[in-house]
Amino acid sequence: MNILLNLNEGKFPIKINDSYDPSFLEEVHIIDLVIVDINIEKPSQGIIYAKGAIDLSYVSECSSCSKSITNRVNIKTDIEIQDISMSLNKRYTNKDVHFQDLTQFEIKDFIKEEIYLNIPNINFCEDNLCNKENLDKNDDLIQPFKKIRDLIK
C-alpha cells in the first residue's frame, strides 16, 4: 500500500518516523526493514523541504573478490521537494530537488529515489588479503554522486 500525502494542504511539519518492508525496492537486496525518520517542512508557499535520515542494511558483492558482504547505510537527506509540473522551470537552489506530484506525494517513491542515489555502487570487503589498496578508496565511494552535487552548488 502506497502512502499518499497532499503537500499542497495540511499542517506542517509532517513527521515520518516509521519502518517499511523493503519489498518496494527491487534492485537492492535489503535484509531488514528500512527505517525512516524524516520531517517535511513548508516554510512558505511553494517551498517544501524534507530533512532526516534513512537507515538500512543491504547485501552486495565485493567489487574485487565477489564475496557477498553486508553493508549498513545511514543516508542523511536534506532535499527540496517541487511539483512535477515545475521540473521544466529553472529554479536555482543549494539543495538537491525531488520532483513529484504534490497533491499525491508518494513517500515510498521519495525513499526509493534517495536510496538508489545514495548507496555505494562499488563495495569492498574488509579482508586484508582481498585488495588492500581499495580499502583506502572506500570513503570516496560512499556517495557516488557527491562530486556532481558539489559542482552544482
Side-chain angles (χ1 to χ4, degrees), residues 6-7 9 30 49 127:
N6 185 347
L7 297 182
E9 300 175 357
I30 310 285
Y49 297 120
D127 185 358

Side-chain angles (χ1 to χ4, degrees), residues 85-140:
S85 64
M86 297 293 292
S87 65
L88 297 178
N89 297 341
K90 289 186 179 180
R91 182 170 175 195
Y92 297 99
T93 173
N94 289 335
K95 294 188 179 289
D96 296 330
V97 179
H98 174 82
F99 293 101
Q100 202 177 129
D101 182 2
L102 295 182
T103 60
Q104 295 185 346
F105 183 80
E106 294 187 32
I107 190 66
K108 285 186 178 179
D109 285 349
F110 173 75
I111 295 167
K112 185 189 299 187
E113 181 177 300
E114 284 301 293
I115 291 172
Y116 288 156
L117 289 175
N118 287 289
I119 62 170
N121 56 352
I122 298 174
N123 297 288
F124 297 107
C125 65
E126 295 184 12
D127 185 358
N128 287 335
L129 299 175
C130 175
N131 199 346
K132 184 156 176 52
E133 64 202 39
N134 288 325
L135 291 176
D136 298 330
K137 296 179 187 175
N138 197 25
D139 290 338
D140 295 334

Side-chain angles (χ1 to χ4, degrees), residues 14-15 25 52 58 61 66-68 84-85 91-92 118:
I14 299 171
K15 297 180 189 284
L25 297 160
Y58 67 100
E61 202 174 82
S66 299
K67 187 189 314 180
S68 181
I84 192 72
S85 64
R91 182 170 175 195
Y92 297 99
N118 287 289

Side-chain angles (χ1 to χ4, degrees), residues 51-64:
K51 298 177 185 178
I54 302 169
D55 195 44
L56 63 123
S57 293
Y58 67 100
V59 176
S60 65
E61 202 174 82
C62 175
S63 297
S64 182

